[in-house]
Amino acid sequence: MGSCNGSVGFKIQFTKLFINGQFVDSVSGKTFETRDPRNGEVIASVAEGDKADVDLAVKAARNAFDNGAWPRMSGYERGRILMKFADLIEEHAEELATLDTIDGGKLFSLCKAMDIPHCVHLLRYYAGAADKIHGETLKLSGEFQGYTLKEPIGVIGHIIPWNFPTAMFFLKVSPALAAGCTMIVKPAEQTPLSALYYAHLAKLAGIPHGVLNVVTGFGHTAGSAICSHMDVDKVSFTGSTEVGKKVMEAAAKSNLKHVSLELGGKSPLIIFDDADLDKAVNLAHNAVFFNKGEICAAGSRVFVQEGIFDAFVEKSVEMAKTRVIGDPFDPEVQQGPQIDKKQFDKVLKYIEYGKNEGATLLTGGKSYGDKGYFIEPTIFTDVNEHMKIAKDEIFGPVLCLMKFKTIEEAIEKANATRYGLAAGIITNDLNIANRVSRSVRAGTIWINCFFIFDTSCPFGGFKMSGFGKDQGLDAMEKYLNVKSVITPIYSSPWL
């Protein structure tokens, strides 16, 4: 048991691997440190799983799938257990929000008001969907009848990122559990703590041993072992495009397992002259500074039509200077620390790239405070699409402002990226909104809003932002195989 070196005095209960319904040490006995991004201090030492531990977790999941009750329960029975799981999370919301705040630097108030309720909603949504998995009856051309079955794929490997530890856990786990799959979850090494707590609550809810396993560790060891394992039937990965390519390669070289990927983004936000200026500035700041810019769909490329560009720049800089940075447990704070020193250094390096390539730094651009990994909200203008800050996913509080004249130019600039995760449009003209939303190549388009995620609305990208959807019934389909069954019919009065 570890303790948090922070003002909250919070005790860490779970630091071991969760395999086959039990918390266990890693086979090697190794541990790694997870640190508080507010100050860089060690929160706890966590079991470091690797290939040997993944083998044990996969063995448990395979046995639970091949011989256990979970995939053989009725959807109604699975749904009841998922409902209990959701109830337990609600009962422990304070502890869970605290874990994601000390481990990931996330705002405590938002964890409690948004992240935890969202995961509860996800569980209840898929609990309700678990008994509504249906195939089709087929009218065949000859003297045969056919129908399809939708069956759980099998053993799933979920590899999740550090920016939304709770949300990402349940975006993956909820539909897979509802479908009847068993699984191994590998949380990011930066944020392992809440995943282990969720494993504990899953056991209390009645999810059978072996169905949900959590192996903490590093991507190049534990994550790689999951992707290349011959007894894992599917990998669901959220993270960078570079690592996503490695996941696909490992899946292909092993057993051609199913893969779904939600990868990087460089989302455009297009603001037209007829937009309400104050609303547009507010949306633009939320689009890139929310969660300290550590969000794949961040609207970090902001295109503003020339008629309101200068006024937008002035208001945007004024607002950025008032943004409150500090301890994420403080309810007045709007922006906490970046996840760790590596990400902190990466963001500052990209800010230097922007200055060196000729962009104009309007505000921010520096670290904040004398400890921890805080960075000022940063705004650049005079940015072109060839600059690193306009092309690469920075994953930090860096906004790039660019001017455009015509609708055609805005569409062309918005699509000038290898990514296609999301986009935003701000206009009062329905014709413009319709035209641009159909022209921008991205998986989600927000019109006069941003970051509207709903349990029933599929989310996923185009191009190098990956493939496969989270949320909605589309997400559950990722964890189901379609089987066709055909039988002859004899002496039927009709076909």
Side-chain angles (χ1 to χ4, degrees):
M1 180 179 291
S3 64
C4 168
N5 295 317
S7 58
V8 293
F10 184 76
K11 295 293 183 181
I12 307 300
Q13 297 187 57
F14 306 108
T15 58
K16 296 184 178 183
L17 311 179
F18 187 79
I19 297 176
N20 205 25
Q22 305 297 325
F23 284 103
V24 296
D25 291 319
S26 62
V27 171
S28 68
K30 290 182 180 179
T31 62
F32 66 96
E33 296 174 342
T34 184
R35 292 179 178 269
D36 187 335
R38 297 176 297 168
N39 49 36
E41 295 177 1
V42 175
I43 306 167
S45 292
V46 180
E48 182 184 334
D50 56 24
K51 184 180 183 301
D53 305 287
V54 168
D55 286 344
L56 291 175
V58 172
K59 182 179 180 181
R62 172 55 61 193
N63 183 60
F65 186 79
D66 289 349
N67 305 305
W70 189 252
R72 291 159 187 83
M73 286 182 187
S74 69
Y76 171 75
E77 291 175 291
R78 286 199 301 272
R80 290 188 66 183
I81 293 173
L82 295 183
M83 288 289 190
K84 176 62 175 175
F85 193 5
D87 292 342
L88 288 168
I89 291 167
E90 279 190 325
E91 292 173 19
H92 294 83
E94 190 90 10
E95 301 99 303
L96 293 162
T98 300
L99 286 173
D100 281 352
T101 300
I102 62 174
D103 217 12
K106 296 175 65 65
L107 298 184
F108 176 76
S109 58
L110 288 183
C111 285
K112 200 171 174 186
M114 293 177 58
D115 291 16
I116 306 300
H118 180 57
C119 83
V120 169
H121 192 182
L122 279 166
L123 273 172
R124 289 175 176 156
Y125 177 89
Y126 289 109
D131 62 355
K132 300 170 184 65
I133 299 171
H134 305 299
E136 295 180 313
T137 301
L138 307 174
K139 186 173 177 61
L140 305 184
S141 57
E143 293 185 339
F144 299 91
Q145 64 177 3
Y147 60 91
T148 60
L149 298 171
K150 291 186 177 180
E151 301 178 342
I153 283 179
V155 175
I156 312 297
H158 297 296
I159 303 175
I160 60 176
W162 42 258
N163 57 329
F164 285 88
T166 285
M168 292 299 169
F169 187 98
F170 286 98
L171 283 170
K172 308 297 187 187
V173 164
S174 306
L177 285 173
C181 295
T182 62
M183 62 209 65
I184 304 94
V185 181
K186 209 283 298 175
E189 58 267 26
Q190 296 88 343
T191 53
L193 298 178
S194 60
L196 294 169
Y197 204 115
Y198 289 124
H200 163 68
L201 295 182
K203 181 178 180 179
L204 294 183
I207 292 177
H209 291 183
V211 171
L212 174 60
N213 306 274
V214 177
V215 176
T216 52
F218 295 91
H220 66 277
T221 52
S224 177
I226 290 170
C227 296
S228 60
H229 204 289
M230 294 297 291
D231 224 8
V232 171
D233 299 302
K234 175 184 170 64
V235 171
S236 177
F237 171 79
T238 294
S240 71
T241 298
E242 291 70 28
V243 176
K245 291 179 179 180
K246 294 179 180 179
V247 171
M248 283 197 72
E249 182 180 10
K253 287 183 174 179
S254 53
N255 58 342
L256 280 175
K257 57 178 64 67
H258 296 241
V259 176
S260 55
L261 305 172
E262 196 264 274
L263 306 175
K266 196 70 179 176
S267 301
L269 174 60
I270 308 168
I271 303 169
F272 289 88
D273 281 344
D274 65 340
D276 178 281
L277 190 59
D278 290 332
K279 178 181 178 181
V281 171
N282 274 307
L283 279 174
H285 278 236
N286 183 56
V288 71
F289 296 138
F290 175 71
N291 202 52
K292 55 279 189 2
E294 293 175 347
I295 182 165
C296 52
S300 53
R301 296 186 298 141
V302 179
F303 300 98
V304 183
Q305 202 162 16
E306 59 182 1
I308 60 169
F309 184 82
D310 292 341
F312 183 96
V313 169
E314 182 179 351
K315 282 185 174 287
S316 189
V317 171
E318 289 174 1
M319 179 175 285
K321 289 179 177 178
T322 66
R323 193 166 182 84
V324 182
I325 309 170
D327 191 324
F329 282 101
D330 184 341
E332 301 299 318
V333 164
Q334 297 170 290
Q335 183 178 312
Q338 308 308 129
I339 183 67
D340 61 11
K341 179 105 175 23
K342 180 180 178 181
Q343 185 63 21
F344 172 81
D345 289 341
K346 175 189 172 182
V347 175
L348 292 177
K349 182 174 72 173
Y350 269 93
I351 291 170
E352 290 304 308
Y353 286 151
K355 292 190 287 187
N356 293 337
E357 290 183 334
T360 301
L361 178 64
L362 297 178
T363 188
K366 303 187 299 295
S367 61
Y368 178 89
D370 57 2
K371 64 179 179 179
Y373 309 126
F374 300 87
I375 295 177
E376 295 176 344
T378 299
I379 300 177
F380 281 104
T381 190
D382 299 318
V383 179
N384 67 59
E385 61 268 28
H386 304 295
M387 294 179 178
K388 283 181 175 288
I389 58 172
K391 292 192 301 182
D392 297 347
E393 184 180 44
I394 300 173
F395 232 60
V398 181
L399 187 158
C400 296
L401 282 174
M402 290 166 273
K403 187 190 300 185
F404 72 92
K405 291 183 179 182
T406 65
I407 297 174
E408 292 78 10
E409 182 187 2
I411 293 168
E412 182 180 356
K413 287 178 179 291
N415 284 329
T417 174
R418 61 186 178 274
Y419 298 113
L421 190 54
I425 303 163
I426 304 179
T427 179
N428 290 317
D429 189 320
L430 182 60
N431 291 325
I432 290 175
N434 283 334
R435 178 181 175 186
V436 177
S437 64
R438 284 161 172 74
S439 301
V440 174
R441 295 191 63 207
T444 297
I445 309 291
W446 290 296
I447 299 173
N448 295 328
C449 59
F450 212 87
F451 290 149
I452 304 303
F453 298 102
D454 189 89
T455 306
S456 61
C457 185
F459 179 81
F462 296 172
K463 299 193 283 186
M464 292 182 73
S465 290
F467 49 84
K469 300 295 184 181
D470 290 322
Q471 301 189 137
L473 295 179
D474 295 72
M476 197 159 65
E477 295 292 331
K478 293 191 304 186
Y479 302 105
L480 296 167
N481 277 327
V482 177
K483 177 185 286 183
S484 297
V485 180
I486 302 164
T487 60
I489 49 176
Y490 301 104
S491 304
S492 173
W494 58 79
L495 293 180

